[in-house]
Amino acid sequence: MPSSPDVKSFAAQGAGLAGYVEKTFHPEDEILADIRKRAATAGLPAIHVSPFDGRLLEVIARAARAKKIVEIGTLAGLSGVCLARALPEGGVLHTFEFEKKHAEVARESFRKGNLENRVKIHIGPAMQNLSAIEAEGPFDLVFIDADKENYPNYLAWAARHLRPAGVVLCDNAFAWGLVAVADDAAELKQGHHAAARKAILATNAAIADQKGPWRGMMLPTGEGLVMGVRK
Ligand code: SAM
């Protein structure tokens, strides 16, 4: 069964490239490392974004001058801290999490990162809870990193609620390598990744569609981070 790599890096492997980037950019500080530790102690799954992706999220949010950010899939708040660090004074991150236990760990992460006054955590199924913030839109950036089957629905929501030149980012866009295998490949017959792959393929295709609302590209991170800019 395919799974996320233990050590997530860039798609470009070999020649010590990941080590070089690590040493040069130092993408993870003590606050972020502490989130991974506390999440593990609390029994949360280690499915946070990689250190490289976290920094990338912050840099993209800064480049977009994002003041209103939406994140779908909080977990322990690691990517949320990265995104919230990009916010100017008065900015807000709305982050959506299904599991109350994850949200509690995340709340402590935002507190320890001195970011609690700019982050609002919404607990429950994101597809139902997103409507609660629509009046605050349009938003500047939407980061999608939760239940894969809903990615096309989250993307459609982002298309309706991002400003022109707003940014959408979806993680796991390589579907653990499954985007590149044939529809009848043996690994898809075993089950639960098939539906996720189908939704991720549809999401990538919608962002790539020249006639759609996006101008997009795949960022070749370890897991694939697809990025679209609202036309
Ligand atoms: N973005 C996080 C980070 O890198 O720090 C990781 C998010 S993790 C991959 C996915 C999270 O989405 C999990 O915490 C899971 O409980 C949550 N989730 C799953 N289905 C959801 C739903 N329908 N609505 C909101 N959150 C959901």
Side-chain angles (χ1 to χ4, degrees):
M1 181 61 65
S3 62
S4 301
D6 288 342
V7 178
K8 299 178 190 176
S9 68
F10 287 130
Q13 301 291 341
L17 290 177
Y20 161 75
V21 175
E22 174 95 50
K23 269 190 282 174
T24 307
F25 291 89
H26 303 289
E28 188 141 300
D29 60 19
E30 319 77 63
I31 301 247
L32 299 177
D34 175 66
I35 295 174
R36 289 186 201 278
K37 274 196 216 122
R38 283 190 298 103
T41 306
L44 271 51
I47 51 174
H48 326 264
V49 294
S50 75
F52 294 172
D53 297 349
R55 175 65 66 81
L56 199 50
L57 290 173
E58 180 186 337
V59 168
I60 292 170
R62 284 181 186 271
R65 293 177 177 266
K67 291 192 183 110
K68 291 184 272 181
I69 301 178
V70 177
E71 174 182 64
I72 304 174
T74 316
L75 191 61
L78 196 139
S79 54
V81 164
C82 296
L83 288 166
R85 282 175 170 173
L87 290 168
E89 199 62 41
V92 64
L93 168 70
H94 287 285
T95 183
F96 291 80
E97 174 52 54
F98 187 83
E99 299 287 346
K100 197 162 176 272
K101 181 176 168 188
H102 297 187
E104 289 316 315
V105 178
R107 201 177 301 287
E108 178 67 358
S109 303
F110 295 124
R111 193 192 65 72
K112 285 189 143 188
N114 285 324
L115 294 161
E116 73 266 49
N117 59 355
R118 54 181 82 170
V119 179
K120 292 185 185 155
I121 305 177
H122 304 260
I123 302 172
M127 226 32 244
Q128 283 165 38
N129 286 347
L130 279 165
S131 58
I133 62 162
E134 286 173 3
E136 284 183 44
F139 298 94
D140 303 303
L141 188 148
V142 175
F143 174 51
I144 301 171
D145 189 20
D147 47 326
K148 308 307 164 201
E149 288 80 355
N150 262 320
Y151 268 33
N153 298 326
Y154 296 142
L155 183 69
W157 187 92
R160 291 196 302 277
H161 297 285
L162 274 172
R163 64 161 159 82
V167 172
V168 70
L169 294 155
C170 311
D171 199 20
N172 306 105
F174 290 150
W176 316 279
L178 297 175
V179 288
V181 306
D183 285 342
D184 60 355
E187 48 273 57
L188 295 177
K189 303 220 164 75
Q190 295 157 13
H192 74 278
H193 277 79
R197 169 185 178 267
K198 197 170 160 199
I200 288 170
L201 283 172
T203 304
N204 293 344
I207 293 176
D209 181 3
Q210 303 286 338
K211 297 193 188 106
W214 308 105
R215 186 66 167 160
M217 190 53 192
M218 182 69 72
L219 303 182
T221 60
E223 302 228 69
L225 185 66
V226 67
M227 174 169 171
V229 177
R230 182 87 172 77
K231 285 191 220 156

